[in-house]
């Protein structure tokens, strides 16, 4: 991240710009930084001006307590202003939920696209599962058990116990624990984990909701529900893709949506 701007509450935000064309701000999901979506930005840069940033509380950006989702919405508004006042938004996973919230709350976005926002309406026991995760995550973070918080998140995503234990022994684990407090931010962005129909109905810009063809059925239905809930929504499936979508597959689809 080679640039900085300041949000409404004084929190500094680190960001990076690449490419030429219509401007698109990329919003990462849980346990990630702007660097996580940089490969996608580089793919988009062939047709768009792609902006990646570290969300507050991660990477090179600052953080100001107490956290509120409204502050992250203000962060996006500050970034749009910093890059010229005219930008589209793209968010992956819980970052997509933040994009939808920002678009509904009036952040001046020209268009919005999201990939696999994990609204759990169509997942068996989805509401109860989300509530249990929220409670256990809050306890782990309050007690300073960052490793346990990361484990909770990985388990929530469906990662098996053997893979979780391998992750604990890997060199990347320390970095994951550093990001653990930001899990509470994504949890707040996702609210109760269910599709916010009233909020989505307020979005006036075109919205593209994407899902991976190799992903679970409940995720497909979440994407369809987003497209149906917004006034100008489109739903599309990317064949063979999972939640870890390949930039070379996603990039051209987004470029076509944002740049035409």
């Amino acid at each position: 991240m080679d640039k900085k701007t300041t949000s409404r509450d004084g929190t500094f935000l680190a960001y990076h710009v690449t490419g030429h064309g219509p401007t698109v701000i990329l919003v990462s999901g849980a346990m990630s930084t702007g660097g996580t979506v940089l490969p996608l930005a580089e793919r988009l840069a062939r047709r768009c001006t792609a902006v990646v940033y570290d969300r507050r509380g991660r990477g090179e950006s600052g953080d100001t307590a107490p956290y509120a989702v409204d502050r992250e919405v203000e962060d996006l508004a500050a970034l749009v202003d910093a890059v010229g006042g005219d930008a589209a938004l793209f968010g992956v996973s819980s970052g997509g939920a933040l994009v939808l919230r920002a678009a509904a709350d009036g952040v001046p976005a020209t268009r919005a696209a999201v990939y696999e926002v994990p609204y759990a309406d169509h997942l068996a026991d989805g509401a109860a599962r989300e509530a249990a995760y929220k409670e256990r995550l809050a306890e782990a973070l309050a007690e300073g058990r960052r490793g346990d918080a990361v484990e909770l998140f990985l388990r929530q995503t469906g990662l098996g116990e053997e893979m979780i234990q391998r992750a604990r022994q890997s060199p990347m684990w320390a970095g994951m624990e550093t990001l653990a407090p930001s899990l509470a931010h994504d949890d707040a962005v996702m609210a109760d984990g269910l599709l916010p129909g009233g909020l989505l109905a307020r979005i006036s810009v075109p919205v593209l909701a994407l899902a991976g063809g190799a992903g679970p059925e409940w995720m497909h239905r979440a994407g369809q529900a987003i497209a149906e809930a917004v006034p100008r929504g489109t739903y599309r499936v990317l064949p063979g893709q999972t939640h870890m979508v390949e930039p070379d597959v996603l990039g051209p689809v987004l470029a076509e949506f944002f740049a035409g």
Side-chain angles (χ1 to χ4, degrees):
M1 304 299 130
D2 56 351
K3 300 180 183 295
K4 288 186 179 180
T5 192
T6 303
S7 193
R8 183 176 180 179
D9 71 346
T11 301
F12 66 86
L13 305 170
Y15 69 101
H16 174 73
V17 181
T18 185
H20 300 279
T23 302
V24 183
I25 298 174
L26 280 60
V27 184
S28 62
M31 296 300 296
S32 61
T33 66
T36 308
V37 290
L38 185 57
L40 176 60
E42 292 171 343
R43 183 64 178 80
L44 274 175
R46 302 173 191 179
R47 295 178 62 186
C48 299
T49 298
V51 180
V52 299
Y53 76 107
D54 288 335
R55 290 170 57 187
R56 63 172 55 209
R58 12 186 146 190
E60 298 173 34
S61 289
D63 199 10
T64 303
Y67 175 82
V69 178
D70 286 346
R71 302 294 82 76
E72 285 220 76
V73 171
E74 292 168 359
D75 294 348
L76 276 172
L79 282 164
V80 171
D81 185 63
V83 297
D86 184 26
L89 304 176
F90 168 72
V92 59
S93 195
S94 54
L98 178 56
V99 161
L100 294 172
R101 168 71 180 270
D105 285 356
V107 170
T110 55
R111 290 183 164 229
V114 297
Y115 184 82
E116 292 202 342
V117 183
Y119 293 131
D121 303 66
H122 303 289
L123 179 64
D125 300 322
R129 180 174 177 268
E130 293 296 316
Y133 169 74
K134 182 181 292 287
E135 180 179 353
R136 295 181 66 191
L137 177 66
E139 290 175 354
L141 292 176
E143 296 169 5
R145 294 184 286 110
R146 293 189 175 192
D148 290 347
V150 175
E151 275 201 25
L152 281 169
F153 169 74
L154 295 178
R155 198 170 291 114
Q156 186 80 350
T157 66
L159 196 66
E161 293 301 319
E162 182 178 348
M163 292 298 295
I164 290 174
Q165 295 311 312
R166 286 182 182 177
R168 265 196 175 273
Q169 303 305 315
S170 73
M172 67 180 182
W173 189 257
M176 295 175 74
E177 287 196 355
T178 298
L179 287 171
S182 69
L183 286 171
H185 299 182
D186 288 279
D187 184 57
V189 168
M190 290 299 299
D192 60 3
L194 304 179
L195 185 120
L199 180 147
L200 299 184
R202 304 201 309 263
I203 298 175
S204 61
V205 299
V207 173
L208 175 63
L210 298 161
E217 177 63 22
W218 70 269
M219 195 73 84
H220 294 182
R221 295 178 70 183
Q224 289 175 318
I226 291 169
E228 292 169 0
V230 299
R232 302 167 66 188
T234 303
Y235 172 63
R236 182 169 175 179
V237 174
L238 303 184
Q241 295 301 298
T242 66
H243 200 59
M244 303 298 290
V245 62
E246 298 173 23
D248 283 345
V249 174
L250 177 58
V253 174
L254 292 178
E256 180 65 27
F257 178 65
F258 291 128

